[in-house]
Amino acid sequence: MLYMEISTWEPENRDKILEHFKELKMPAGVTVHNQWVDLTGSRYFILYECDDAEAFAAFNLPWSDVCYIDTVPVMKSTEFISLMSKKS
């Protein structure tokens, strides 16, 4: 499944966030498609694929002490339209 995540953090956690990024290792089962950082310095966006709950947890739990993570399952709009067309 494809996920879009938006992570936000308090300004006082900036240095902790930078340390987390330096140590970041993607667990097996997580494929990152792209990542972006908000130039204001307090948000991070990532689009990744993961079909394993254990890998999902291994990727997200280490960040839970320094930021808030909003995870949204997504799909390409063309795929969504095709899927919905088959249901009609």
Side-chain angles (χ1 to χ4, degrees):
M1 179 163 280
L2 199 58
Y3 295 98
M4 170 63 79
E5 284 189 352
I6 303 170
S7 299
T8 57
W9 54 87
E10 301 299 330
E12 61 268 16
N13 285 336
R14 185 198 65 182
D15 292 343
K16 291 178 187 175
I17 291 292
L18 290 173
E19 287 304 313
H20 272 62
F21 272 115
K22 289 177 188 176
E23 299 171 10
L24 179 63
K25 292 180 183 77
M26 291 299 158
V30 173
T31 303
V32 175
H33 291 280
N34 216 328
Q35 327 173 52
W36 305 268
V37 176
D38 180 348
L39 296 178
T40 65
S42 63
R43 287 189 299 182
Y44 169 71
F45 305 85
I46 184 168
L47 179 66
Y48 68 95
E49 215 165 327
C50 181
D51 292 322
D52 178 1
E54 198 170 317
F56 180 88
F59 179 59
N60 282 293
L61 286 176
W63 295 88
S64 64
D65 63 334
V66 294
C67 65
Y68 307 100
I69 302 171
D70 185 19
T71 306
V72 181
V74 296
M75 68 174 27
K76 291 180 180 179
S77 58
T78 53
E79 292 174 11
F80 179 77
I81 291 167
S82 176
L83 181 67
M84 292 297 104
S85 294
K86 292 175 185 175
K87 296 198 178 270
S88 304

Coordinates of all heavy atoms in Angstrom, one line a residue:
M1 N 0.8 -1.2 0.0 CA 0.0 0.0 0.0 C 0.9 1.2 0.0 O 2.0 1.2 0.6 CB -0.9 0.0 1.2 CG -1.8 1.2 1.3 SD -3.2 1.0 2.4 CE -4.3 0.1 1.3
L2 N 0.4 2.3 -0.6 CA 1.1 3.6 -0.7 C 0.6 4.5 0.4 O -0.6 4.6 0.6 CB 0.8 4.1 -2.1 CG 1.7 5.2 -2.7 CD1 3.2 4.7 -2.8 CD2 1.2 5.6 -4.1
Y3 N 1.6 5.2 1.0 CA 1.3 6.1 2.1 C 1.9 7.4 1.9 O 3.1 7.5 1.5 CB 1.8 5.6 3.5 CG 1.1 4.3 3.9 CD1 1.7 3.1 3.7 CD2 -0.1 4.3 4.5 CE1 1.1 1.9 4.1 CE2 -0.7 3.1 5.0 CZ -0.1 1.9 4.7 OH -0.7 0.8 5.1
M4 N 1.2 8.5 2.2 CA 1.7 9.8 2.3 C 1.7 10.2 3.8 O 0.7 10.1 4.4 CB 0.9 10.8 1.5 CG 1.2 12.3 1.7 SD 2.9 12.7 1.2 CE 2.7 12.9 -0.5
E5 N 2.9 10.6 4.3 CA 2.9 11.0 5.7 C 3.4 12.5 5.8 O 4.3 12.9 5.0 CB 3.9 10.1 6.5 CG 3.3 8.8 6.8 CD 4.2 8.0 7.7 OE1 5.3 8.4 8.1 OE2 3.7 7.0 8.2
I6 N 2.8 13.1 6.7 CA 3.3 14.5 7.1 C 3.7 14.5 8.5 O 2.8 14.2 9.4 CB 2.1 15.5 6.8 CG1 1.7 15.5 5.4 CG2 2.6 16.9 7.2 CD1 0.4 16.3 5.1
S7 N 4.9 14.7 8.8 CA 5.4 14.8 10.1 C 5.7 16.2 10.5 O 6.2 17.0 9.7 CB 6.8 14.0 10.2 OG 6.6 12.7 9.9
T8 N 5.2 16.6 11.7 CA 5.5 18.0 12.2 C 6.1 17.9 13.5 O 5.9 16.9 14.3 CB 4.1 18.8 12.3 OG1 3.2 18.0 13.1 CG2 3.5 18.9 10.9
W9 N 6.8 18.9 13.9 CA 7.5 19.0 15.2 C 7.6 20.4 15.7 O 7.4 21.4 15.0 CB 8.9 18.4 15.1 CG 9.8 19.0 14.0 CD1 10.6 20.1 14.2 CD2 9.9 18.5 12.7 NE1 11.2 20.3 13.0 CE2 10.8 19.4 12.1 CE3 9.4 17.5 12.0 CZ2 11.2 19.2 10.8 CZ3 9.7 17.3 10.7 CH2 10.7 18.2 10.1
E10 N 7.7 20.5 17.0 CA 7.9 21.7 17.7 C 9.3 22.3 17.4 O 10.2 21.5 17.3 CB 7.7 21.6 19.2 CG 6.3 21.0 19.6 CD 5.1 21.9 19.1 OE1 5.3 23.1 19.1 OE2 4.1 21.3 18.8
P11 N 9.4 23.6 17.3 CA 10.7 24.2 17.0 C 11.8 23.7 18.0 O 13.0 23.5 17.5 CB 10.5 25.7 17.1 CG 9.0 25.8 16.8 CD 8.4 24.6 17.4
E12 N 11.5 23.5 19.2 CA 12.5 23.1 20.2 C 13.0 21.7 19.9 O 14.0 21.3 20.5 CB 12.0 23.3 21.6 CG 10.8 22.4 22.0 CD 9.5 23.1 21.8 OE1 9.4 24.2 21.1 OE2 8.5 22.6 22.3
N13 N 12.3 20.9 19.1 CA 12.8 19.6 18.8 C 13.6 19.5 17.5 O 14.0 18.4 17.1 CB 11.6 18.6 18.7 CG 11.0 18.3 20.0 OD1 11.7 18.3 21.0 ND2 9.7 17.9 20.0
R14 N 13.9 20.6 16.9 CA 14.6 20.6 15.6 C 15.9 19.8 15.7 O 16.2 19.0 14.8 CB 14.9 22.1 15.2 CG 15.6 22.1 13.8 CD 16.3 23.4 13.6 NE 17.4 23.5 14.6 CZ 18.2 24.5 14.7 NH1 18.1 25.5 14.0 NH2 19.2 24.4 15.6
D15 N 16.7 20.0 16.7 CA 18.0 19.3 16.8 C 17.8 17.8 17.0 O 18.6 17.0 16.4 CB 18.9 19.9 18.0 CG 19.3 21.3 17.7 OD1 19.3 21.7 16.5 OD2 19.8 22.0 18.6
K16 N 16.8 17.4 17.7 CA 16.5 16.0 17.9 C 16.1 15.4 16.5 O 16.5 14.3 16.2 CB 15.4 15.8 18.9 CG 15.8 16.1 20.3 CD 14.6 15.9 21.2 CE 14.9 16.4 22.6 NZ 13.7 16.3 23.5
I17 N 15.3 16.2 15.8 CA 14.9 15.7 14.4 C 16.1 15.5 13.5 O 16.2 14.5 12.8 CB 13.9 16.7 13.8 CG1 12.5 16.7 14.6 CG2 13.6 16.5 12.3 CD1 11.7 15.5 14.4
L18 N 17.0 16.5 13.5 CA 18.2 16.3 12.7 C 19.0 15.1 13.1 O 19.5 14.4 12.2 CB 19.0 17.6 12.8 CG 18.5 18.9 12.2 CD1 19.3 20.1 12.6 CD2 18.3 18.7 10.7
E19 N 19.1 14.8 14.4 CA 19.8 13.6 14.8 C 19.1 12.3 14.3 O 19.7 11.4 13.9 CB 19.9 13.6 16.3 CG 21.0 14.5 16.8 CD 22.3 14.4 16.2 OE1 22.8 13.2 16.1 OE2 22.9 15.4 15.8
H20 N 17.7 12.3 14.4 CA 17.0 11.2 13.9 C 17.2 11.0 12.4 O 17.4 9.9 11.9 CB 15.5 11.4 14.1 CG 15.0 10.9 15.4 ND1 15.4 11.5 16.6 CD2 14.1 10.0 15.8 CE1 14.8 10.9 17.6 NE2 14.0 10.0 17.1
F21 N 17.3 12.1 11.6 CA 17.5 12.0 10.2 C 18.9 11.4 9.9 O 19.1 10.6 9.0 CB 17.4 13.3 9.5 CG 16.0 13.6 9.0 CD1 15.3 14.7 9.6 CD2 15.4 12.9 8.0 CE1 14.0 15.0 9.2 CE2 14.1 13.1 7.6 CZ 13.4 14.2 8.2
K22 N 19.9 11.8 10.7 CA 21.2 11.3 10.5 C 21.3 9.8 10.7 O 22.1 9.1 10.1 CB 22.2 12.0 11.4 CG 22.5 13.4 11.0 CD 23.4 14.0 12.1 CE 23.6 15.5 11.8 NZ 24.4 16.2 12.9
E23 N 20.5 9.3 11.6 CA 20.5 7.8 12.0 C 19.4 7.0 11.2 O 19.3 5.8 11.4 CB 20.2 7.7 13.5 CG 21.3 8.3 14.3 CD 21.0 8.4 15.8 OE1 20.0 7.7 16.2 OE2 21.7 9.1 16.5
L24 N 18.7 7.7 10.3 CA 17.6 7.0 9.6 C 18.0 5.9 8.7 O 18.9 6.0 7.9 CB 16.8 8.1 8.8 CG 15.7 7.6 7.9 CD1 14.5 7.1 8.8 CD2 15.1 8.7 7.0
K25 N 17.4 4.7 9.0 CA 17.7 3.5 8.1 C 16.3 3.0 7.8 O 15.5 2.7 8.7 CB 18.5 2.5 8.9 CG 19.9 3.0 9.1 CD 20.7 1.9 9.9 CE 22.1 2.4 10.2 NZ 22.2 3.3 11.3
M26 N 16.0 2.8 6.6 CA 14.7 2.3 6.2 C 14.7 0.8 6.5 O 15.6 0.0 6.1 CB 14.5 2.4 4.7 CG 14.3 3.9 4.3 SD 12.8 4.6 5.1 CE 13.2 6.3 4.9
P27 N 13.7 0.3 7.2 CA 13.5 -1.1 7.5 C 13.2 -1.8 6.2 O 12.6 -1.3 5.3 CB 12.4 -1.2 8.5 CG 11.7 0.1 8.4 CD 12.6 1.1 7.9
A28 N 13.5 -3.1 6.2 CA 13.1 -4.0 5.0 C 11.6 -3.9 5.0 O 10.9 -4.0 6.0 CB 13.6 -5.4 5.2
G29 N 11.1 -3.8 3.8 CA 9.6 -3.8 3.6 C 9.1 -2.4 3.4 O 7.9 -2.2 3.1
V30 N 9.9 -1.3 3.5 CA 9.5 0.1 3.3 C 10.3 0.6 2.0 O 11.5 0.5 2.0 CB 9.8 1.0 4.5 CG1 9.5 2.4 4.1 CG2 9.0 0.5 5.7
T31 N 9.6 1.0 1.0 CA 10.2 1.5 -0.2 C 9.8 3.0 -0.3 O 8.6 3.3 -0.4 CB 9.7 0.8 -1.4 OG1 10.0 -0.6 -1.3 CG2 10.3 1.3 -2.7
V32 N 10.7 3.9 -0.2 CA 10.5 5.3 -0.3 C 10.5 5.7 -1.8 O 11.4 5.4 -2.5 CB 11.6 6.1 0.5 CG1 11.4 7.6 0.3 CG2 11.5 5.8 1.9
H33 N 9.4 6.5 -2.1 CA 9.3 7.0 -3.5 C 9.8 8.4 -3.6 O 10.4 8.7 -4.6 CB 7.8 6.9 -4.0 CG 7.4 5.5 -4.2 ND1 7.7 4.8 -5.3 CD2 6.6 4.7 -3.4 CE1 7.1 3.6 -5.2 NE2 6.5 3.5 -4.0
N34 N 9.6 9.2 -2.6 CA 10.1 10.5 -2.6 C 9.9 11.2 -1.2 O 9.1 10.7 -0.4 CB 9.4 11.4 -3.6 CG 10.4 12.4 -4.2 OD1 11.4 12.9 -3.6 ND2 10.2 12.7 -5.5
Q35 N 10.7 12.2 -0.9 CA 10.6 12.9 0.4 C 10.8 14.4 0.2 O 11.6 14.8 -0.7 CB 11.7 12.4 1.4 CG 12.1 11.0 1.2 CD 13.3 10.7 2.1 OE1 13.3 10.9 3.3 NE2 14.2 10.1 1.5
W36 N 10.2 15.2 1.0 CA 10.3 16.6 0.9 C 10.3 17.2 2.3 O 9.7 16.7 3.2 CB 9.1 17.3 0.1 CG 8.9 16.7 -1.2 CD1 9.3 17.1 -2.4 CD2 8.0 15.6 -1.5 NE1 8.9 16.4 -3.4 CE2 8.1 15.4 -2.9 CE3 7.3 14.7 -0.8 CZ2 7.4 14.4 -3.6 CZ3 6.6 13.7 -1.4 CH2 6.7 13.5 -2.8
V37 N 11.0 18.3 2.4 CA 11.1 19.1 3.7 C 10.5 20.5 3.4 O 10.9 21.1 2.5 CB 12.5 19.2 4.2 CG1 12.6 20.0 5.5 CG2 13.1 17.8 4.5
D38 N 9.6 20.9 4.3 CA 9.1 22.2 4.3 C 10.2 23.2 4.6 O 10.9 23.1 5.6 CB 8.0 22.3 5.3 CG 7.3 23.7 5.4 OD1 7.8 24.6 4.8 OD2 6.3 23.7 6.1
L39 N 10.4 24.2 3.7 CA 11.5 25.1 3.9 C 11.4 26.0 5.1 O 12.3 26.7 5.5 CB 11.6 26.0 2.7 CG 12.0 25.2 1.4 CD1 12.1 26.2 0.2 CD2 13.3 24.5 1.6
T40 N 10.2 26.0 5.8 CA 10.1 26.7 7.1 C 10.7 25.9 8.2 O 10.9 26.4 9.3 CB 8.6 27.0 7.4 OG1 7.9 25.8 7.7 CG2 7.9 27.8 6.3
G41 N 11.0 24.7 7.9 CA 11.8 23.9 8.9 C 11.0 23.1 9.9 O 11.6 22.6 10.9
S42 N 9.7 22.9 9.7 CA 8.9 22.2 10.8 C 8.0 21.1 10.3 O 7.2 20.6 11.0 CB 8.1 23.2 11.6 OG 7.2 23.8 10.8
R43 N 8.2 20.8 9.0 CA 7.4 19.7 8.4 C 8.2 18.8 7.4 O 9.1 19.4 6.8 CB 6.1 20.2 7.7 CG 5.1 20.7 8.6 CD 3.8 21.0 7.9 NE 4.0 22.0 6.9 CZ 3.1 22.6 6.1 NH1 1.8 22.1 6.2 NH2 3.3 23.5 5.2
Y44 N 7.8 17.6 7.4 CA 8.5 16.6 6.5 C 7.4 15.8 5.8 O 6.5 15.3 6.5 CB 9.4 15.7 7.3 CG 10.0 14.5 6.7 CD1 11.0 14.7 5.7 CD2 9.6 13.3 7.1 CE1 11.6 13.5 5.1 CE2 10.2 12.1 6.5 CZ 11.1 12.3 5.5 OH 11.7 11.2 5.0
F45 N 7.5 15.6 4.5 CA 6.6 14.9 3.7 C 7.3 13.7 3.1 O 8.4 13.8 2.6 CB 6.0 15.7 2.6 CG 5.4 17.0 3.1 CD1 6.2 18.1 3.2 CD2 4.0 17.1 3.3 CE1 5.6 19.3 3.7 CE2 3.4 18.3 3.7 CZ 4.2 19.4 3.9
I46 N 6.6 12.5 3.2 CA 7.3 11.3 2.6 C 6.2 10.5 1.9 O 5.1 10.3 2.5 CB 8.1 10.5 3.6 CG1 8.8 9.3 3.0 CG2 7.2 10.1 4.8 CD1 9.8 8.7 3.8
L47 N 6.5 10.0 0.7 CA 5.6 9.1 0.0 C 6.3 7.7 0.0 O 7.5 7.6 -0.6 CB 5.3 9.6 -1.4 CG 4.5 8.7 -2.3 CD1 3.0 8.7 -1.7 CD2 4.5 9.2 -3.7
Y48 N 5.7 6.7 0.5 CA 6.4 5.4 0.6 C 5.4 4.3 0.4 O 4.2 4.5 0.6 CB 7.2 5.2 1.8 CG 6.5 5.2 3.1 CD1 6.1 3.9 3.7 CD2 6.1 6.3 3.8 CE1 5.4 3.9 4.9 CE2 5.4 6.2 5.0 CZ 5.1 5.0 5.5 OH 4.4 4.9 6.7
E49 N 5.9 3.1 0.2 CA 5.1 1.9 0.0 C 5.5 0.9 1.1 O 6.7 0.8 1.5 CB 5.4 1.3 -1.3 CG 4.3 0.6 -2.0 CD 4.5 0.3 -3.5 OE1 5.3 1.1 -4.1 OE2 4.0 -0.7 -3.9
C50 N 4.5 0.3 1.7 CA 4.7 -0.7 2.7 C 3.5 -1.6 2.8 O 2.3 -1.1 2.9 CB 4.9 0.0 4.0 SG 5.3 -1.1 5.4
D51 N 3.7 -2.9 2.9 CA 2.6 -3.9 3.0 C 2.7 -4.7 4.3 O 2.0 -5.7 4.4 CB 2.5 -4.8 1.8 CG 2.1 -4.0 0.5 OD1 1.3 -3.1 0.6 OD2 2.7 -4.3 -0.6
D52 N 3.6 -4.3 5.1 CA 3.9 -5.1 6.3 C 3.8 -4.2 7.6 O 4.5 -3.2 7.7 CB 5.4 -5.6 6.2 CG 5.8 -6.4 7.4 OD1 5.1 -6.6 8.4 OD2 7.0 -6.9 7.4
A53 N 2.9 -4.6 8.5 CA 2.6 -3.8 9.7 C 3.9 -3.7 10.5 O 4.1 -2.7 11.2 CB 1.5 -4.5 10.5
E54 N 4.7 -4.8 10.6 CA 5.9 -4.7 11.4 C 6.9 -3.7 10.8 O 7.5 -2.9 11.6 CB 6.5 -6.1 11.4 CG 7.5 -6.3 12.6 CD 7.9 -7.8 12.7 OE1 7.1 -8.6 12.7 OE2 9.1 -8.0 12.9
A55 N 7.1 -3.7 9.5 CA 7.9 -2.7 8.9 C 7.4 -1.3 9.1 O 8.1 -0.3 9.4 CB 8.1 -3.0 7.4
F56 N 6.1 -1.1 9.0 CA 5.4 0.2 9.2 C 5.7 0.7 10.6 O 6.1 1.8 10.8 CB 3.9 0.0 9.0 CG 3.1 1.3 9.2 CD1 3.0 2.2 8.1 CD2 2.6 1.6 10.4 CE1 2.2 3.3 8.3 CE2 1.9 2.8 10.6 CZ 1.7 3.6 9.5
A57 N 5.6 -0.2 11.6 CA 5.9 0.2 13.0 C 7.3 0.5 13.2 O 7.7 1.5 13.8 CB 5.4 -0.9 13.9
A58 N 8.2 -0.3 12.6 CA 9.7 -0.1 12.7 C 10.1 1.3 12.1 O 11.0 1.9 12.6 CB 10.4 -1.2 12.1
F59 N 9.4 1.7 11.1 CA 9.7 3.0 10.5 C 9.2 4.1 11.3 O 9.9 5.2 11.4 CB 9.1 3.0 9.0 CG 9.4 4.2 8.3 CD1 10.6 4.7 8.1 CD2 8.3 5.0 7.8 CE1 10.8 5.9 7.4 CE2 8.5 6.2 7.1 CZ 9.8 6.6 6.9
N60 N 8.0 4.0 11.8 CA 7.4 5.2 12.5 C 7.6 5.3 14.0 O 7.7 6.4 14.5 CB 5.8 5.1 12.3 CG 5.5 5.6 10.9 OD1 5.7 6.8 10.6 ND2 5.0 4.7 10.1
L61 N 7.7 4.2 14.7 CA 7.9 4.3 16.2 C 9.1 5.1 16.7 O 9.0 5.8 17.6 CB 7.8 2.9 16.8 CG 6.4 2.3 16.8 CD1 6.5 0.9 17.4 CD2 5.4 3.1 17.6
P62 N 10.2 5.0 16.0 CA 11.4 5.7 16.5 C 11.2 7.3 16.5 O 11.9 8.0 17.2 CB 12.5 5.3 15.5 CG 12.1 4.0 15.0 CD 10.6 4.1 14.9
W63 N 10.2 7.7 15.7 CA 10.0 9.2 15.6 C 8.9 9.7 16.6 O 8.8 10.9 16.8 CB 9.5 9.5 14.2 CG 10.5 9.2 13.1 CD1 10.7 8.1 12.5 CD2 11.5 10.1 12.7 NE1 11.8 8.2 11.6 CE2 12.3 9.5 11.7 CE3 11.8 11.5 12.9 CZ2 13.3 10.1 11.0 CZ3 12.8 12.1 12.2 CH2 13.6 11.4 11.3
S64 N 8.2 8.8 17.2 CA 7.1 9.2 18.1 C 7.5 10.0 19.3 O 6.6 10.7 19.9 CB 6.3 7.9 18.5 OG 7.1 7.1 19.3
D65 N 8.7 10.0 19.6 CA 9.1 10.9 20.8 C 9.5 12.3 20.4 O 9.6 13.2 21.3 CB 10.3 10.2 21.5 CG 11.6 10.2 20.6 OD1 11.4 10.1 19.4 OD2 12.7 10.2 21.2
V66 N 9.6 12.6 19.1 CA 10.0 14.0 18.7 C 9.1 14.7 17.7 O 9.2 15.8 17.4 CB 11.4 14.0 18.1 CG1 12.4 13.6 19.1 CG2 11.5 13.0 16.9
C67 N 8.1 13.9 17.2 CA 7.2 14.6 16.2 C 5.8 13.9 16.2 O 5.6 12.8 16.7 CB 7.8 14.6 14.8 SG 8.0 13.0 14.0
Y68 N 4.9 14.6 15.5 CA 3.6 14.0 15.2 C 3.5 13.6 13.8 O 4.0 14.2 12.9 CB 2.5 15.1 15.4 CG 2.6 15.8 16.7 CD1 3.2 17.1 16.8 CD2 2.1 15.3 17.9 CE1 3.4 17.7 18.0 CE2 2.3 15.9 19.1 CZ 2.9 17.1 19.2 OH 3.0 17.8 20.4
I69 N 3.0 12.4 13.6 CA 2.9 11.8 12.2 C 1.5 11.6 11.8 O 0.7 10.9 12.5 CB 3.7 10.4 12.2 CG1 5.1 10.6 12.6 CG2 3.6 9.8 10.8 CD1 5.9 9.3 12.8
D70 N 1.1 12.2 10.7 CA -0.2 12.0 10.1 C 0.0 11.1 8.9 O 0.6 11.6 7.9 CB -0.8 13.4 9.8 CG -2.2 13.3 9.3 OD1 -2.9 12.3 9.5 OD2 -2.6 14.3 8.6
T71 N -0.6 9.9 8.9 CA -0.4 9.0 7.8 C -1.7 8.8 7.0 O -2.8 8.6 7.6 CB 0.0 7.6 8.4 OG1 1.2 7.7 9.2 CG2 0.3 6.6 7.3
V72 N -1.6 8.9 5.7 CA -2.8 8.8 4.9 C -2.5 7.8 3.8 O -1.5 7.9 3.0 CB -3.1 10.1 4.2 CG1 -4.3 10.0 3.3 CG2 -3.3 11.2 5.2
P73 N -3.3 6.7 3.7 CA -3.2 5.8 2.5 C -3.6 6.5 1.3 O -4.7 7.1 1.3 CB -4.1 4.6 2.9 CG -5.0 5.1 3.9 CD -4.4 6.3 4.6
V74 N -2.8 6.4 0.2 CA -3.2 7.1 -1.1 C -3.0 6.1 -2.3 O -2.3 5.1 -2.1 CB -2.3 8.3 -1.2 CG1 -2.6 9.4 -0.2 CG2 -0.8 8.0 -1.3
M75 N -3.5 6.6 -3.4 CA -3.2 5.9 -4.7 C -3.3 6.9 -5.8 O -3.9 8.0 -5.6 CB -4.2 4.7 -4.9 CG -5.6 5.1 -5.2 SD -6.8 3.8 -5.7 CE -6.2 2.4 -5.0
K76 N -2.7 6.6 -6.9 CA -2.8 7.6 -8.0 C -4.2 7.7 -8.4 O -5.0 6.8 -8.4 CB -2.0 7.0 -9.2 CG -0.5 7.0 -9.0 CD 0.2 6.4 -10.2 CE 1.7 6.4 -10.0 NZ 2.4 5.9 -11.1
S77 N -4.5 9.0 -8.8 CA -5.9 9.3 -9.2 C -6.4 8.4 -10.4 O -7.6 8.0 -10.4 CB -6.1 10.7 -9.5 OG -5.3 11.1 -10.5
T78 N -5.6 8.1 -11.3 CA -6.0 7.3 -12.4 C -6.3 5.9 -12.0 O -7.3 5.3 -12.5 CB -4.9 7.2 -13.5 OG1 -3.6 6.8 -12.9 CG2 -4.7 8.6 -14.2
E79 N -5.6 5.3 -11.0 CA -5.9 4.0 -10.5 C -7.2 4.1 -9.7 O -8.0 3.1 -9.8 CB -4.8 3.5 -9.5 CG -3.5 3.2 -10.3 CD -2.4 2.9 -9.3 OE1 -2.6 2.7 -8.1 OE2 -1.2 2.8 -9.8
F80 N -7.5 5.1 -9.0 CA -8.7 5.3 -8.2 C -9.9 5.3 -9.1 O -10.9 4.7 -8.9 CB -8.6 6.5 -7.3 CG -9.9 6.8 -6.5 CD1 -10.2 6.0 -5.4 CD2 -10.8 7.7 -6.9 CE1 -11.3 6.2 -4.7 CE2 -12.0 8.0 -6.2 CZ -12.2 7.2 -5.1
I81 N -9.8 6.1 -10.2 CA -10.9 6.3 -11.2 C -11.2 4.9 -11.8 O -12.3 4.5 -12.0 CB -10.6 7.3 -12.2 CG1 -10.6 8.7 -11.5 CG2 -11.5 7.3 -13.4 CD1 -10.0 9.8 -12.4
S82 N -10.1 4.2 -12.2 CA -10.3 2.9 -12.8 C -11.0 1.9 -11.8 O -11.9 1.2 -12.2 CB -8.9 2.3 -13.2 OG -9.1 1.0 -13.7
L83 N -10.6 1.9 -10.6 CA -11.2 1.1 -9.5 C -12.6 1.4 -9.3 O -13.5 0.5 -9.3 CB -10.4 1.2 -8.2 CG -10.9 0.4 -7.0 CD1 -10.6 -1.1 -7.3 CD2 -10.1 0.9 -5.8
M84 N -13.0 2.7 -9.3 CA -14.3 3.1 -9.0 C -15.2 2.8 -10.3 O -16.4 2.5 -10.1 CB -14.4 4.6 -8.7 CG -13.8 4.9 -7.3 SD -14.7 4.1 -5.9 CE -13.6 2.8 -5.5
S85 N -14.6 2.9 -11.4 CA -15.4 2.6 -12.7 C -15.8 1.2 -12.7 O -16.9 0.8 -13.3 CB -14.5 2.9 -13.9 OG -14.3 4.3 -14.0
K86 N -15.0 0.3 -12.2 CA -15.3 -1.2 -12.2 C -16.5 -1.5 -11.3 O -17.2 -2.5 -11.4 CB -14.1 -2.0 -11.8 CG -13.0 -1.9 -12.8 CD -11.7 -2.7 -12.3 CE -10.6 -2.5 -13.3 NZ -9.4 -3.1 -12.8
K87 N -16.7 -0.6 -10.3 CA -17.7 -0.9 -9.3 C -19.1 -0.4 -9.8 O -20.1 -0.7 -9.2 CB -17.4 -0.2 -8.0 CG -16.1 -0.7 -7.4 CD -16.1 -0.4 -5.9 CE -14.8 -1.0 -5.3 NZ -15.0 -2.3 -4.7
S88 N -19.1 0.4 -10.9 CA -20.4 0.9 -11.4 C -21.1 -0.1 -12.2 O -20.6 -1.0 -12.8 CB -20.2 2.1 -12.2 OG -19.5 3.1 -11.5

